[in-house]
Amino acid sequence: MKRNLKTMAIVVFVIILSVWIIDKIPFKAKIDMQVEPTIDMEGKFVDKTTVTIKGEKTRYLFRDDSFVGEIRIACVEKTAADGLQAKISWHGNDELQSLSFYYKGDFFGAENYGLTTSLIMKKDMRNFAFMTTDGKVISTAHVYYNHLEQAIGK
């Protein structure tokens, strides 16, 4: 009986320790892509642009995903600054993700770089919608344009 209790306590301890360790281990993926989305304003096509995304996406088993790296949007000049890093945080199953930038150790809201802090970015990072501070939506599909405008309330 004592031996069974001791064995069961060890098994429970090992399981708890394993889950804790797995939770701390990130699954990282290098991202290096270029996408050509459209620019829309008030629901109408304005132009096309290029978005270059380079960095590292981190996934944890029991926590939210995140991306840290460069996001260069050709039509938003401020995003092309050398040394500028972007951070995208996914929030569970929420449709909106958050975007922030940091430069030389200082964090800035996306508004400082001509973008809103909320965006739609699918986990594959190939499908997305950014909104500029002047109301333009840069998206890979019109459906994301509609979702972003409704979510942000423009």
Side-chain angles (χ1 to χ4, degrees), residues 54-107:
K54 292 181 183 178
E56 191 168 77
K57 184 170 182 217
T58 305
R59 295 181 307 123
Y60 290 91
L61 195 56
F62 301 113
R63 288 188 264 164
D64 295 334
D65 293 359
S66 66
F67 166 83
V68 174
E70 298 175 357
I71 296 178
R72 306 283 190 249
I73 304 172
C75 67
V76 183
E77 289 180 30
K78 290 183 179 180
T79 63
D82 283 337
L84 181 66
Q85 294 287 296
K87 179 176 184 192
I88 298 174
S89 298
W90 282 262
H91 307 288
N93 291 325
D94 286 352
E95 185 169 273
L96 289 179
Q97 290 72 48
S98 58
L99 173 66
S100 58
F101 288 95
Y102 60 96
Y103 182 71
K104 296 184 179 179
D106 292 323
F107 281 88

Side-chain angles (χ1 to χ4, degrees), residues 17-84:
L17 182 64
S18 298
V19 168
W20 182 78
I21 290 171
I22 288 172
D23 181 52
K24 301 297 179 200
I25 298 172
F27 300 96
K28 296 183 179 193
K30 293 279 186 205
I31 305 293
D32 188 357
M33 67 177 79
Q34 195 171 58
V35 183
E36 294 187 1
T38 60
I39 304 169
D40 295 289
M41 187 152 193
E42 297 177 1
K44 295 180 180 149
F45 173 81
V46 175
D47 203 356
K48 284 191 170 196
T49 191
T50 302
V51 175
T52 304
I53 303 171
K54 292 181 183 178
E56 191 168 77
K57 184 170 182 217
T58 305
R59 295 181 307 123
Y60 290 91
L61 195 56
F62 301 113
R63 288 188 264 164
D64 295 334
D65 293 359
S66 66
F67 166 83
V68 174
E70 298 175 357
I71 296 178
R72 306 283 190 249
I73 304 172
C75 67
V76 183
E77 289 180 30
K78 290 183 179 180
T79 63
D82 283 337
L84 181 66

